[in-house]
Amino acid sequence: MQLHLKEIKFDPNKSVLELSDSRELYLTCRDESFRFLCEVMLPSHRYNYYTGWCGLYDGLLLYVNNSTNREVKDDLLTIDVIRPD
């Protein structure tokens, strides 16, 4: 599994943090021979793109902690785990 961010158009009226955290996050899956399997866009404004992930034995852990997420404003540690089927 590979995470990557889509480019974004620069807007001088937005802060660097807001521009950075509003990018779209994609997950690309490959098999054991690195052949492409699929690519999916993950939910917008949900994850910390730079320090918010961890590889697991059987998947990928993502921290739900994006500065542009207006719904989550607490100190609870929330995670999502993505596992291939």
Side-chain angles (χ1 to χ4, degrees):
M1 288 190 261
Q2 172 188 3
L3 294 172
H4 58 95
L5 294 166
K6 185 176 180 181
E7 78 280 353
I8 192 166
K9 185 177 179 181
F10 180 74
D11 182 346
N13 299 316
K14 293 183 179 179
S15 71
V16 173
L17 181 62
E18 184 179 1
L19 284 170
S20 178
D21 281 356
S22 63
R23 296 169 72 181
E24 294 172 351
L25 181 64
Y26 289 84
L27 175 69
T28 301
C29 298
R30 299 179 183 275
D31 67 12
E32 60 277 350
S33 298
F34 296 101
R35 289 184 295 251
F36 177 84
L37 297 174
C38 68
E39 181 175 273
V40 294
M41 187 175 88
L42 299 177
S44 297
H45 309 285
R46 183 161 176 84
Y47 304 112
N48 181 314
Y49 299 148
Y50 301 103
T51 60
W53 61 272
C54 178
L56 304 173
Y57 174 76
D58 63 344
L60 186 66
L61 178 144
L62 296 163
Y63 294 100
V64 177
N65 182 20
N66 185 292
S67 69
T68 62
N69 186 342
R70 305 290 183 230
E71 296 174 16
V72 178
K73 292 297 178 194
D74 55 36
D75 291 333
L76 297 176
L77 175 61
T78 306
I79 61 170
D80 288 344
V81 176
I82 299 173
R83 291 185 175 94
D85 291 333

